[in-house]
Amino acid sequence: MDEPTKVRNPKLNLFGHITGLFLSFVLLVFGLVLCFVFNPVTIQSESLAIPVEGNRQLVARLFIPKAAAAPHPVMVLCHGINASKEVMTPLAVELARHGIAGLAFDFGGSGESYRLSGGKGAIQNLEESNLADAQAVLAYLRANPERFDVKRMGIAGHSLGGTIALQLAQTDRQLRSTIVMGMSGEAAPSVPKNLFLGVGVYEQLNPVADVRRMYQAATAGKNQAGEIVGDFNAGTARMMVISPTADHVIEPYDSFLIGQAVNWAQRSLNVPVVRLPAVFPGYILGLLVAFTGAVATGVLMFVRTGKPVEYPPARQLFRRFVAFTIVALMGVVWRLGNSGLGPSRAASNSLILCYVLLLVTNYALLHSEKWKPALRVAGLYSLVFLEPFILPALLSGSSEVLKNPGYLIDLPQFLLQWPVFFIYNYTTVLKLALLPAYTLKLQPSWLFFLLILVEFVWPAITLTTLERAVKWAVGQLRRPFRVAGYGSISRRSVGLLGVLVLLLVLIVHQRLQDGVFSLAAGSGLLVLQLISQMVLLPVGVIVVILRSAWFRRLESRCLER
């Protein structure tokens, strides 16, 4: 006998929808409250265009304390490979809150600054151009002594930016503070002046052991992290700080490292020492929560509005109307940001919000019955594919954790904050791909226009195509691997191999974008180690998880309507 068909109670369905809308609105309000509470109101910022040779310019953001009078002590902040000034903004904000101007800028070939041509973006040429750019920034500061105290200047950098900061501080003896995060190198007991080394326990590229060796050379044999060696007035002060809650990617966002770096800058630039809890990490969390809440609220409102529309042609017309409304709103936002009637940076964030809202709303209206299960599965798969990036970090920090098990106390904090800062970090990368200019002016890319046009003409095609591709790939990964004969592979296994190769390519591409392999290019053994640890191992774990019975059961539960 057939099982009776389950009929949904319309009242329960309405109650569930209203509850979801209420919770989404609460999430939006909570995110806005976080942004308000952690908004650094005691500082002000401005956008700058710093000229360099050849009619080119560097785009920068300057953060200064409101209460302090000019000229301000100032720190120049250098980002790493395939990053931008947004990575160094948290440190710039906290410096300004503590009485020091922070200037974060985009190197040539990165962010919104001038483009690099030909092979100038190669790692061996990048250091040279980055060094010249940093020198141009220092020249700009020295050309404006009414705004900046040229006798109290310093430089800080993360990853390759740390290398640039170190090199420049070794040659420019007027720089009184040197802060290097996530990078090792060469230093002497008196050169550069007042050297601070910050590194995360889970640093993948420049492990704690490498930074410790650098610190020993810079202190003539000292190796105790957390202790100040030398004298600030003489420029010989040295300190190494190990954060138990950071890896290479999130070091610039880590509250512990930021607090220690700010304190170091205050002491080395002779600024009164004030200790304030970092606010920008909380502000980042607020932005992400508010963004998620805004998208969820918008989608549920549009979906509920379309519920009474049952006639198929009318439903299609409604979907077109919704898509038109969101695209029209994007046009208004772009006009306001491009004409100067509104802040371009806020307009850029609104454009990204509207685009995500367009994608999710179109999909929800087309697949009204399955979009919620699909959303749950998307969240599940996002957790699976975040693993390739956090697993190498945990492995990299294992030796330090074994030496000092006390680091395990802070492991939960690391695991909780890592996804937040990781997502924020790569959201800024995506934003630059869609909006190559948004600070001095608002300029969407042709790719952005194309993506919007495709989604407007064929509503829901983007996420539907992505869904089909993921289904096919997962199906191929779950196929049994069979050898048809000696030296040959069965045709059914070709798809599995193809997906494995695609996974390898995607992760290798991401690591190239991170600059991981570029920084290790001088050592073949190190490259092999990084490939095995950061590519092969994560791919293997993903395959094992997707093929496991427990994961398939969890996936089935997420798909239940």
Side-chain angles (χ1 to χ4, degrees), residues 422-435:
F422 180 88
I423 292 171
Y424 177 80
N425 184 73
Y426 285 99
T427 299
T428 62
V429 174
L430 175 62
K431 180 179 175 180
L432 277 168
L434 300 179
L435 300 166

Side-chain angles (χ1 to χ4, degrees), residues 239-277:
M239 185 178 183
M240 175 182 174
V241 170
I242 303 172
S243 171
T245 54
D247 73 337
H248 187 77
V249 174
I250 71 170
E251 281 164 344
Y253 307 102
D254 183 65
S255 297
F256 179 76
L257 280 180
I258 288 175
Q260 294 290 328
V262 168
N263 181 261
W264 185 264
Q266 288 179 310
R267 300 185 68 170
S268 54
L269 296 181
N270 196 24
V271 174
V273 175
V274 178
R275 289 185 178 270
L276 301 172

Side-chain angles (χ1 to χ4, degrees), residues 2 21 78 130 185 189 210 236 311 405 461 472 525 530:
D2 294 336
L21 184 59
C78 307
N130 285 359
D210 291 351
T236 59
Y311 187 53
I461 189 172
W472 177 84
L525 185 61
L530 291 175

